Amino acid sequence: MSRLEIDELERKWLSVSLAMIGLFVGAIVVTAVSQGVHPPSHVETIDSASLHLSQEFAEDKLGVQPTPLADGSLQVRLVAGRYGFYPREIEVPAGRRIVFRMASMDVLHGAHIPMTNMSTMIVPGYVSEVVSVFPKPGEYPMLCNEYCGLGHDHMWSKVTVIAQENWREPATGGKQP
Amino acid sequence: MNDATVNRLTLFNFWVAFGAFGLACFFGMYQVLERSGLFTFLQSPAAYFASVSTHGVLMAFVLTTFFIMGFGYHTAARSLRRPLWNPPLAWAGYGVCVVGVALAAIPLLLGKASVLYTFYPPIQANVFFYLGATLLVVGSWFWCVIMLVMFAQWKRDRPGETVPLPMFATAANALLWLWTSAGVALESVFQLLPWALGLTDTIDVGLARTLFAWTLHPIVYFWLIPAYIALYCYVPQAAGGKLFSDVLARTAFVLILVLGLPIGFHHLYMDPEQGAGWKFLHMVGTFAVAIPTLLTGFTVIASLEMAGRKRGGAGLFGWIGALPWKNPMVLAAILSLLMLVLGGFGGIVNASYAMNAMVHNTAWVPGHFHLIFAGTVITMYLAVAYKLWPELCGRRLYSVDLALVQLWGWFIGMVIMTTPWHILGLLGQPRRISAVQYNSVLTLSWEPYELAMIAGGSILLASACLFVYLLYKTQTAGEKVDAREDAAADSNHGAPAWLNGFALWNRLILVLMVLSYGYPILQFFLLKTHSPTAWGY
Ligand code: HEM
Ligand SMILES: [Cu+2]
Ligand SMILES: [Cu+2]
């Protein structure tokens, strides 16, 4: 058993390693608990084959929703399908909490607005829900980042973030600009 | 004679591995050219995705599995100093793997399996692709059985003795692979094959992704362990020193085995079908499994320092200059560790639960794993080949100088290729896209980085060709020697029982796997899920 005597230096390094790992995990725990920072994990199922018949994802219900949610957030509903996120263009206000709800009508897709934390996988059979706030107005692409077929390269839609003061609530769901 | 059998078996496995490697580098080169968008005549999504699928399968499954099997047979026979158990079984396993690769290659090359090496349903490939991949896994299980039997027989014959470190680690890897491959095997047998054969119409995609994630993380440790074996068992000797700590090395392998398995959900952070609590649990394990790697870095660097000082290096950094940089094994270890440090930082970003959103599925990810897998891991595979080829063929390495040039080239090429690749990811470029214009200013900012990737890729391709050439020349034109070098460093002093066997660890793994995957898998049978049908691409 004498073999198990660990060298002094090794013990120090082990403590440093453990402290480092503890620090990283600790930082994540703190943000997760105190600010509710979690990855999108909404275990909610839906029948991808009949989205067009569903209450929520029928064609005329898509896009930025006219009535804000109880907490003032705006809800945006999108259907991902080869090869675009529908509706292809949406406008949202800057600085406001946006709740994206997305479903796929065919295969796997991924939605990402570069340089923001708006990112989620879209898995057929499930509704993905992800929340983001866009501080800066401008035009952003929403890119598909999961291989979904030979047109994957060209799967993208446009998100325009509009300054608070220029923002008008849409009158109806769907049919954006 | 049995020694000749083991050598043949090892060489046969290695040639498939490195043949696949050389070929796949050409595909890689095509990909960096195509995706730059500079060469319009090359542009074709159909060709690009067939190419990426083939490149990924060859590198991630063929190169690795065959290399690991060959290295394992060699290590078992050498370090245990006993004949290979059941050579016909080993050849049978080899045959099954080769047939599997051939079956999968046909649809891949014909563009009938452009589903990438992760083959996520509901996009469906030709059934021979799934069949071939399954056979490759099944064939590798033959190898696992042989490794574990030899390990057990040796212990039975020498009660109380400590299994040599290289074999301890190889047996850990065999056990790890059995656990690891179970996930994808279940997916394949119960979901993909019946569905591709037309026996079932729909497929539960959430379940398939969960089973694949079970495999997707620990498989990287399956690839990594042989590199660590070389770092622990070959490098200190090659540098003229000895291993700093045998106990710490064994501890690292056990930690990798136990902690590497139950953490696959860091691949599903962005997925809707698993709850945040489960992702959180796997996240903690993901950070914990960094510990054995931190230990490895420490032990290997400490061993190198001891060697450097013994060779007359003085001062805080003098020992570094005193190392035998002209020894391919030592050079490879230094370059490999450098890439590990760089890649380690990236890994922490990936592992970080919510920060992952910034890089998930962007070009950052292939940038990261080329650095750490094609860089750190493969560099050690190359060094092992340079060490073993002379032993296997009884000939001297054709040119040590060229081997050094080759290793430097691989390192420089990899840094030049992966640095811009990481930046592209931060600039939002998705992974797995061919040449593309999104008609957005953003994409204009990508161009210079794509150019740099071409430069890196060209150096890598040249380096890979040089490597294969050197092996070929060594085998056919190397100076004949009666080289029977020593077995890798082994230590026969008493490690405690729990660092000399896996009974305890195996049970612990079972408990951890049930805890971390039990409900997440069960939920698909409790939830009302709607499974989609198959889609082409
Ligand atoms: C000449 C050297 C190499 C070049 C130029 C190269 C280049 C590439 C490129 C451009 C891609 C496509 C990535 C994408 O579309 O997102 C790719 C994918 C891949 N490479 Fe390499 N690579 C090389 C060597 C390697 C090596 C040595 C390995 C591992 C041993 C490797 C493993 C992979 C894997 C697994 C993929 C599939 C990624 C996916 O499906 O997302 N590559 N490579
Ligand atoms: Cu898509
Ligand atoms: Cu992983």
Side-chain angles (χ1 to χ4, degrees):
Chain A
M1 287 291 139
S2 61
R3 278 287 120 200
L4 258 196
E5 278 167 21
I6 307 186
D7 189 280
E8 175 64 23
L9 206 58
E10 286 171 2
R11 188 160 303 146
K12 276 192 192 142
W13 175 247
L14 198 60
S15 321
V16 172
S17 305
L18 285 172
M20 243 157 64
I21 301 299
L23 190 72
F24 290 136
V25 175
I28 293 173
V29 171
V30 168
T31 52
V33 172
S34 72
Q35 295 165 34
V37 178
H38 290 288
S41 309
H42 212 253
V43 188
E44 179 186 341
T45 61
I46 192 168
D47 186 1
S48 284
S50 59
L51 288 182
H52 56 294
L53 303 176
S54 73
Q55 278 298 321
E56 188 173 0
F57 290 100
E59 213 179 322
D60 57 334
K61 310 272 177 30
L62 299 179
V64 181
Q65 298 303 302
T67 15
L69 299 174
D71 65 354
S73 317
L74 274 185
Q75 198 190 60
V76 177
R77 296 179 189 160
L78 298 173
V79 164
R82 299 197 288 195
Y83 292 103
F85 300 95
Y86 304 100
R88 293 296 298 262
E89 295 186 14
I90 55 171
E91 289 181 351
V92 294
R96 188 133 159 221
R97 202 167 166 272
I98 315 279
V99 179
F100 289 91
R101 284 177 60 81
M102 312 177 95
S104 164
M105 61 183 197
D106 42 40
V107 299
L108 286 175
H109 299 279
H112 184 206
I113 302 183
M115 289 176 272
T116 76
N117 64 355
M118 192 286 163
S119 173
T120 184
M121 294 290 298
I122 305 162
V123 179
Y126 296 84
V127 178
S128 303
E129 188 172 303
V130 55
V131 180
S132 194
V133 178
F134 304 105
K136 271 199 243 115
E139 261 189 26
Y140 294 78
M142 178 186 282
L143 309 178
C144 176
N145 68 7
E146 178 63 60
Y147 176 67
C148 53
L150 297 183
H152 165 56
D153 299 343
H154 301 282
M155 178 158 168
W156 68 294
S157 294
K158 200 162 88 184
V159 177
T160 310
V161 178
I162 295 185
Q164 280 278 357
E165 56 275 19
N166 301 333
W167 167 253
R168 301 272 168 281
E169 306 268 335
T172 57
K175 308 283 158 19
Q176 287 275 311
Chain B
M1 215 193 112
N2 199 279
D3 225 31
T5 313
V6 176
N7 284 354
R8 261 173 76 82
L9 194 57
T10 303
L11 267 180
F12 268 67
N13 275 286
F14 278 3
W15 268 120
V16 177
F18 293 126
F21 166 73
L23 181 65
C25 283
F26 282 91
F27 286 100
M29 189 67 221
Y30 162 74
Q31 287 153 210
V32 283
L33 290 174
E34 205 273 2
R35 69 203 299 290
S36 73
L38 290 174
F39 308 90
T40 35
F41 61 96
L42 285 179
Q43 278 175 25
S44 151
Y48 185 82
F49 289 113
S51 174
V52 180
S53 302
T54 310
H55 172 87
V57 167
L58 286 177
M59 291 297 197
F61 300 145
V62 181
L63 160 64
T64 50
T65 308
F66 280 89
F67 176 83
I68 292 166
M69 293 194 297
F71 190 40
Y73 290 131
H74 176 86
T75 304
R78 268 305 158 79
S79 73
L80 298 182
R81 298 204 174 79
R82 62 192 296 147
L84 187 70
W85 178 73
N86 206 341
L89 190 68
W91 283 112
Y94 179 77
V96 173
C97 290
V98 170
V99 170
V101 171
L103 280 188
I106 299 167
L108 273 171
L109 293 173
L110 293 178
K112 301 264 185 260
S114 300
V115 293
L116 306 178
Y117 83 117
T118 42
F119 45 84
Y120 290 127
I123 294 185
Q124 195 180 58
N126 180 285
V127 63
F128 284 102
F129 172 76
Y130 302 114
L131 205 60
T134 307
L135 286 181
L136 177 58
V137 172
V138 170
S140 71
W141 290 345
F142 290 40
W143 172 83
C144 295
V145 169
I146 295 170
M147 293 300 103
L148 292 173
V149 167
M150 288 182 74
F151 178 82
Q153 285 180 341
W154 191 94
K155 280 186 65 175
R156 186 196 60 205
D157 295 349
R158 299 166 179 240
E161 281 188 49
T162 303
V163 181
L165 180 59
M167 189 57 196
F168 178 76
T170 302
N173 207 16
L175 187 61
L176 174 82
W177 180 236
L178 286 176
W179 273 106
T180 301
S181 54
V184 75
L186 290 171
E187 182 196 0
S188 182
V189 171
F190 291 106
Q191 296 196 277
L192 297 172
L193 281 170
W195 173 66
L197 285 167
L199 303 176
T200 51
D201 293 332
T202 60
I203 187 158
D204 188 331
V205 179
L207 177 60
R209 280 180 72 74
T210 302
L211 290 173
F212 196 79
W214 162 335
T215 297
L216 193 54
H217 190 72
I219 198 175
V220 307
Y221 291 110
F222 174 60
W223 304 333
L224 184 66
I225 284 180
Y228 278 12
I229 294 177
L231 284 175
Y232 280 119
C233 305
Y234 289 145
V235 171
Q237 274 185 333
K242 64 181 186 52
L243 181 59
F244 184 69
S245 164
D246 179 76
V247 167
L248 221 56
R250 283 169 202 270
T251 310
F253 285 116
V254 165
L255 286 176
I256 288 177
L257 170 64
V258 174
L259 297 177
L261 275 157
I263 60 177
F265 283 10
H266 58 233
H267 295 273
L268 302 183
Y269 282 154
M270 293 299 128
D271 272 43
E273 78 276 4
Q274 293 294 350
W278 297 107
K279 296 177 182 175
F280 193 87
L281 187 72
H282 285 234
M283 178 275 294
V284 175
T286 302
F287 276 96
V289 80
I291 290 171
T293 288
L294 290 167
L295 288 181
T296 302
F298 173 80
T299 310
V300 176
I301 292 171
S303 307
L304 285 175
E305 180 183 344
M306 288 195 319
R309 295 207 185 282
K310 221 167 107 188
R311 298 168 59 94
L316 196 52
F317 296 113
W319 60 271
I320 299 178
L323 288 171
W325 287 73
K326 299 223 146 128
N327 177 309
M329 184 62 73
V330 175
L331 176 67
I334 296 169
L335 300 178
S336 176
L337 284 174
L338 272 173
M339 291 186 276
L340 185 63
V341 172
L342 296 173
F345 286 115
I348 293 189
V349 175
N350 300 343
S352 295
Y353 197 54
M355 208 190 331
N356 177 273
M358 304 295 286
V359 295
H360 174 79
N361 269 356
T362 65
W364 169 283
V365 175
H368 170 72
F369 73 67
H370 277 81
L371 185 58
I372 213 147
F373 172 33
T376 301
V377 172
I378 300 304
T379 298
M380 292 316 295
Y381 286 17
L382 304 180
V384 166
Y386 286 139
K387 175 167 166 55
L388 294 191
W389 233 257
E391 293 179 40
L392 296 172
C393 310
R395 290 169 186 268
R396 188 159 291 164
L397 188 61
Y398 185 67
S399 162
V400 174
D401 286 343
L402 284 180
L404 296 173
V405 169
Q406 189 275 320
L407 288 169
W408 274 112
W410 192 253
F411 170 74
I412 293 168
M414 201 52 82
V415 171
I416 296 180
M417 181 169 79
T418 56
T419 307
W421 217 343
H422 279 85
I423 299 173
L424 281 169
L426 295 178
L427 290 173
Q429 185 183 79
R431 73 190 282 193
R432 300 172 155 175
I433 52 165
S434 69
V436 58
Q437 290 304 328
Y438 288 113
N439 301 325
S440 150
V441 263
L442 181 71
T443 56
L444 288 177
S445 67
W446 294 346
E447 267 165 31
Y449 300 101
E450 308 245 4
L451 275 178
M453 283 182 65
I454 295 180
S458 315
I459 300 174
L460 286 168
L461 179 62
S463 168
C465 292
L466 181 55
F467 170 74
V468 175
Y469 172 78
L470 278 173
L471 296 189
Y472 174 75
K473 278 305 229 188
T474 301
Q475 195 162 345
T476 55
E479 187 189 334
K480 283 216 161 104
V481 280
D482 202 19
R484 272 235 27 173
E485 282 179 46
D486 291 341
D490 53 48
S491 41
N492 269 332
H493 27 247
W498 50 273
L499 287 180
N500 196 34
F502 302 104
L504 171 68
W505 305 122
N506 207 25
R507 267 172 241 146
L508 183 58
I509 292 171
L510 179 64
V511 172
L512 291 175
M513 287 302 277
V514 170
L515 279 178
S516 55
Y517 279 99
Y519 180 77
I521 289 178
L522 189 67
Q523 70 163 348
F524 295 107
F525 300 94
L526 303 176
L527 277 174
K528 165 123 190 64
T529 54
H530 305 268
S531 301
T533 52
W535 291 77
Y537 42 84

